[in-house]
Amino acid sequence: MTRRPRIRDVAELAGVAPSTVSVVLNDTEGARVAGSTRDRVRAAAAELGYVPNSLARGLRTQRSGTLAFISDVIATTPYAGQLIQGAQDAAWEAGYLLMLVNTGGDKTLEEHAVRALRQQQVDGALYATMYHRSVTLPRVLDGLPTVLLDSRPAEGATTFVVPDEQQGAQSAVEELVRHGHRRIGFVRDLHDGPAVDRRLRGYEETLTAHGLEVDPGLVVRERSDSAGGDRAAGVLLDSERPPSAIFAFNDQMAIGVYRAAAARGVRIPQDLSVIGFDDLYVVSSELTPGLTTMALPHREMGRLAALALIAERDGAEPAGEMLVPCPVVRRGSVGPASPAAATPH
């Protein structure tokens, strides 16, 4: 057969009516078709290479069985694999196919891409960003079930799945306090935003909960890269009362903390304990000693976002904020504080 096989061809080969082929291949609930007939229909479809027209079926059922994963530049970041994998696994288990669109942050491209996806009758969209921030959803998504991933809505009632930044910071500081540290520095990003604001809050609240001083001089703003971490740690280590431990806003800044410590002959973790945030494996596992850090739960975030989207497509109300815990990943950069550092001043 040189043309594309049709449902009538399958019916003729299987010796059944076209309606029976439709019932079998679409797994229509409640249809009474003998098992032997089902086997014959599926064998005929396989022999002819027949694939049901999903677009036509979608017009009948108002479902296409596809979900869109729309991202700015996250698909090109180290986080992408786990985030997409989690969403894809959940979608696949529920019978959906995930379609990925990376816009590169281009708003014009984003609008054209979303319009094209809507023309394909996608059942819903996951809207993901490179880092935790507030976003305004494009108007072209109006009316389509949409869940935000690693971002929060600037306005409106929308489900959004984000890491529990505050809990992560609390756990990081708890890890240091548990090792006897009482003077703990925080090297943070220059700019305010959901991630840095909540990590700062978790840092301060945990110190207060343990009766430790919240010293503004122990919090240094810098660029959230290794060079910024180097400069920020230098300020702390060169101060009159340097900390015995440093909590870094992310693993990139932690690289700079290591560099600043090495330049001053400060040993990690014997003289200085360091804990990061993100668990960028290529960074945290390759440093010497390995970096103890808080993991961003990307796979679980992707999974929960896809499940929330499917639930909304089935009629559930938007769930609002969904926080995913950040677990500690222990390696070798946190050690016991010296007796002098463990004594409150």
Side-chain angles (χ1 to χ4, degrees):
M1 182 178 294
T2 56
R3 61 175 171 81
R4 180 178 178 180
R6 298 173 299 185
I7 195 169
R8 290 185 181 278
D9 300 318
V10 178
E12 183 178 338
L13 182 60
V16 298
S19 59
T20 302
V21 175
S22 177
V23 164
V24 171
L25 297 184
N26 289 315
D27 290 320
T28 303
E29 291 185 12
R32 295 183 177 180
V33 180
S36 59
T37 302
R38 289 180 182 274
D39 292 342
R40 203 163 65 249
V41 168
R42 291 193 177 105
E47 182 178 333
L48 294 174
Y50 173 76
V51 179
N53 188 324
S54 60
L55 182 57
R57 183 173 58 197
L59 291 173
R60 292 194 304 273
T61 64
Q62 296 299 300
R63 292 184 181 234
S64 66
T66 57
L67 303 175
F69 187 106
I70 304 163
S71 73
D72 48 9
V73 294
I74 197 168
T76 60
T77 69
Y79 313 125
Q82 291 296 308
L83 202 64
I84 295 170
Q85 189 69 55
Q88 180 174 280
D89 287 349
W92 188 256
E93 287 172 10
Y96 287 86
L97 181 68
L98 195 68
M99 300 174 67
L100 174 65
V101 173
N102 190 64
T103 67
D106 184 326
K107 291 300 179 184
T108 301
L109 173 60
E110 178 179 83
E111 182 170 348
H112 285 313
V114 174
R115 287 190 186 280
L117 289 167
R118 298 207 68 168
Q119 288 171 0
Q120 296 298 317
Q121 303 292 316
V122 293
D123 293 320
L126 296 172
Y127 191 88
T129 58
M130 184 175 71
Y131 60 91
H132 187 178
R133 59 188 174 91
S134 296
V135 299
T136 299
L137 285 171
R139 295 296 301 274
V140 70
L141 283 172
D142 287 356
L144 182 70
T146 301
V147 170
L148 290 171
L149 185 49
D150 208 12
S151 54
R152 57 186 57 236
E155 56 185 18
T158 305
T159 300
F160 58 102
V161 180
V162 292
D164 193 340
E165 313 276 10
Q166 186 168 335
Q167 166 271 318
Q170 290 169 336
S171 295
V173 178
E174 286 283 358
E175 182 75 5
L176 297 171
V177 171
R178 187 171 67 83
H179 282 80
H181 296 282
R182 297 294 177 264
R183 191 164 173 79
I184 300 168
F186 179 37
V187 294
R188 53 155 291 178
D189 188 20
L190 275 174
H191 307 289
D192 294 328
V196 72
D197 293 348
R198 285 161 177 75
R199 292 180 197 181
L200 177 61
R201 188 183 308 156
Y203 162 81
E204 293 177 339
E205 287 185 355
T206 307
L207 291 178
T208 300
H210 286 278
L212 302 176
E213 179 187 7
V214 178
D215 181 354
L218 287 174
V219 178
V220 182
R221 290 175 176 251
E222 256 296 353
R223 286 173 56 94
S224 57
D225 55 21
S226 60
D230 189 342
R231 291 190 294 268
V235 171
L236 292 173
L237 295 176
D238 292 339
S239 64
E240 191 172 317
R241 291 179 57 210
S244 65
I246 293 178
F247 169 36
F249 172 71
N250 61 19
D251 291 352
Q252 293 286 345
M253 293 192 84
I255 294 174
V257 175
Y258 270 60
R259 192 180 300 154
R264 291 161 176 79
V266 175
R267 301 167 302 164
I268 298 173
Q270 295 91 333
D271 307 319
L272 177 71
S273 284
V274 181
I275 191 165
F277 212 115
D278 287 352
D279 193 30
L280 283 177
Y281 187 78
V282 69
V283 172
S284 51
S285 64
E286 294 301 317
L287 290 171
T288 304
L291 177 65
T292 293
T293 187
M294 305 307 302
L296 284 174
H298 288 109
R299 188 163 189 155
E300 182 65 3
M301 287 165 57
R303 187 184 74 84
L304 291 177
L307 291 176
L309 179 58
I310 292 166
E312 287 188 29
R313 180 64 182 84
D314 291 338
E317 292 296 318
E321 182 179 52
M322 297 178 68
L323 294 173
V324 186
C326 301
V328 62
V329 180
R330 296 181 177 89
R331 294 190 177 92
S333 63
V334 174
S338 68
T343 303
H345 295 288

